């Protein structure tokens, strides 16, 4: 049956159990519309990271169905996973940068896996790195950067290939007020261009004055 | 496009892990060195046997009643056999004369003996270019069926014995070669596994940003190709230099002047280099596959 679904992310009764006694997510149902910018919040250990991990197939759900950008995650074969991940830009809580490689190499990775031409990779990497204010450190190794700078490299890598969905896991966790505001502006900008953003944070201040939808998790359950 | 990036990644990998690369190449080279020396020994033994056999030639003794007039026809028939280089006829009288000369001072033992008591014979040299022991046997077998022929001789026992030995070493070579190749595959697989463990984070990140398996494994397979090639070329070079050196030593020594040490033919070295490359790629593929399942 054909149907038009404006939800770009849709979870139906999703549970995730890591161990017998640990239920990280319990019957979570959630729809995110194309172009939406939502906040995912809740105390530490409430399951925010787990929920994001399910969306790019880093973890598989124990129960329930998940659709992302038209793909049914539960029936995705291993060879289809790279295709999903190219559509979803992830800013990891722990950055996941290549420490021994330069800022340029780290950001370029997202484009190289797509098979882009070197000249194009160069142009787009410079552009985005300038955008996050690190153009002066392009050739520096990631490990030599401060936590805040590494965070921004991680952001640059997640957005450089212009994915339709961005999953941000505490992307401002290591930043001061000014840097946090810069990141928020960057996210707003991407969202204004049509990118769907799911922004996980335990920092209530970030969405105090926003009109955005806020989803709250507690002990792996959605609360109103 | 992907191919270009894989090549680039492989190059930068090699540059960043030079010691690791050198170790793997060394391990490959050592295994191939063993294999090559063994092959060299076996090949030279075979070569020596064939040389010896071709020098010995075949002697065909004719029946005494064969009339003199049929000799030219016989000569022609033998010359027309495949792979014959030269044929020499020795008549009874010639044989007798030779014997007399050989006996020199003791000629009296031949007194009263008929000058025709020795049978006439043909001495046959097999063409070196097409020489092999099978051919000698064939020719000898064919000749002994001729009605004019009484006996065929060709250093049979010597050749047979040496050939059995050479056949044994040949079989041992195949066995040892297989074992060595398997060992190399294990060692290479293990080296690659250590490398992949050390770079687990990097490979995980590649997967998370949407790299396909080909993109991840491609550079490793390319590196394996280079390692297999470099290792076996290194070993071949060493074995070649050693052969040349030994040959120069042998040629100076009066006792071994005649012994010719030959390097392996192109087909042998090509097979060993190709085998080395295949083994390295297989080893890498196996250890990568294990990793990619994670
Ligand atoms: N890989 C894992 N194995 C076992 N338990 C895990 C794993 N990852 C997370 N958990 C558990 O799942 C729960 C939710 O964790 P997480 O999703 O990281 O929460 P949050 O991101 O909101 O802090 C926690 O109790 C955590 O200990
Ligand atoms: Mg978390």
């Amino acid at each position: 049956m054909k149907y038009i679904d404006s939800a770009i992310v849709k979870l139906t009764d999703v549970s995730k159990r890591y161990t017998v006694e640990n239920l990280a997510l319990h019957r979570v149902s959630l729809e995110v519309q194309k172009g939406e910018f939502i906040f995912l919040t809740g105390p530490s250990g409430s399951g925010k990271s787990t929920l994001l991990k399910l969306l790019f197939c880093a973890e598989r759900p124990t129960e329930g169905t998940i659709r992302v950008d038209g793909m049914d995650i539960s029936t995705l074969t291993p060879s289809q996973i790279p295709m999903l991940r190219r559509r979803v830009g992830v800013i990891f809580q722990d950055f996941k940068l290549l420490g021994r490689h330069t800022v340029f190499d780290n950001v370029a990775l997202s484009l190289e896996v797509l098979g882009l031409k070197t000249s194009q990779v160069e142009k787009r990497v410079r552009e985005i790195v300038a955008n996050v204010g690190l153009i002066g450190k392009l050739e520096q190794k990631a490990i030599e950067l401060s936590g805040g700078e590494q965070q921004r490299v991680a952001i640059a890598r997640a957005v450089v290939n212009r994915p339709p969905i961005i999953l941000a896991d505490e992307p401002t966790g290591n930043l001061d007020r000014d840097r946090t505001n810069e990141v928020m502006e960057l996210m707003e900008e991407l969202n204004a261009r049509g990118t769907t953003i799911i922004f996980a944070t335990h920092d209530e201040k970030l969405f105090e004055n926003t009109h955005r939808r806020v989803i709250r998790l507690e002990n792996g359950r959605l609360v109103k | 496009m992907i191919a270009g990036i894989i090549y680039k990644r492989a190059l930068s990998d090699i540059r960043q892990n030079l010691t690791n690369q050198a170790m793997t190449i060394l391990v490959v080279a050592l295994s191939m060195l063993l294999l090559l020396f063994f092959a060299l020994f076996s090949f030279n033994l075979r070569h020596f046997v064939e040389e010896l056999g071709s020098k010995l030639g075949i002697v065909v003794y004719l029946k005494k009643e064969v009339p003199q007039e049929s000799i030219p026809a016989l000569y022609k028939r033998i010359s027309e056999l495949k792979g014959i280089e030269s044929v020499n006829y020795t008549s009874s009288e010639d044989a007798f004369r030779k014997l007399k000369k050989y006996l020199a001072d003791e000629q009296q033992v031949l007194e009263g003996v008929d000058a025709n008591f020795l049978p006439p014979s043909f001495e046959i040299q097999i063409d070196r270019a097409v020489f092999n022991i099978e051919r000698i046997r064939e020719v000898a077998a064919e000749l002994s069926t001729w009605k004019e022929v009484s006996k065929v001789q060709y250093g049979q026992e010597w050749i047979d014995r040496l050939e059995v030995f050479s056949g044994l070493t040949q079989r041992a070579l195949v066995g040892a070669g297989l074992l060595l190749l398997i060992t190399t595959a294990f060692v290479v697989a293990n080296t690659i596994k250590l490398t992949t463990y050390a770079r687990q984070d990097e490979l995980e990140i590649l997967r998370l940003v949407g790299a396909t398996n080909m993109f991840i494994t491609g550079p490793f397979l390319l590196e394996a190709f280079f390692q297999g090639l470099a290792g076996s070329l290194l070993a071949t070079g060493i074995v070649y230099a050693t052969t040349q050196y030994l040959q120069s030593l042998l040629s100076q020594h009066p006792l071994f002047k005649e012994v010719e040490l030959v390097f392996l033919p192109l087909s042998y070295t090509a097979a060993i280099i190709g085998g080395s490359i295949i083994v390295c790629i297989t080893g890498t593929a196996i250890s990568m596959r294990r990793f990619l399942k994670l």
Side-chain angles (χ1 to χ4, degrees), chain A residues 84-96:
Chain A
L84 169 73
R85 290 182 178 162
R86 291 168 187 192
R87 310 279 300 161
V88 180
V90 185
I91 303 162
F92 298 95
Q93 194 167 5
D94 55 354
F95 316 147
K96 296 209 187 292

Side-chain angles (χ1 to χ4, degrees), chain A residues 56 58 82-83 85-86 88 92 96-98 100-101 109-118 157, chain B residues 1-2 5 8-9 12-13 16-17 199 201-213 215:
Chain A
F56 62 95
M83 298 308 136
R85 290 182 178 162
R86 291 168 187 192
V88 180
F92 298 95
K96 296 209 187 292
L97 297 179
L98 299 169
R100 297 189 303 142
H101 293 249
L109 215 52
S110 296
L111 298 176
E112 284 177 345
V113 299
L114 299 176
L116 250 64
K117 279 204 200 101
T118 316
R157 187 187 62 196
Chain B
M1 216 44 246
I2 287 284
I5 289 167
K8 232 178 63 192
R9 285 185 60 79
S12 83
D13 261 11
Q16 282 177 7
N17 303 289
R199 294 164 64 181
D201 291 346
E202 182 183 340
L203 298 182
E204 188 206 338
I205 289 167
L206 278 173
R207 293 176 69 76
L208 288 175
V209 299
T212 57
N213 278 355
F215 187 90

Side-chain angles (χ1 to χ4, degrees), chain B residues 95-111:
Chain B
F96 190 71
R97 225 171 289 131
K98 269 191 204 164
L99 184 62
K100 251 169 113 176
K101 204 171 148 203
Y102 178 74
L103 290 171
D105 293 340
E106 280 127 279
Q107 279 182 28
Q108 61 273 15
V109 300
L110 293 178
E111 248 165 67

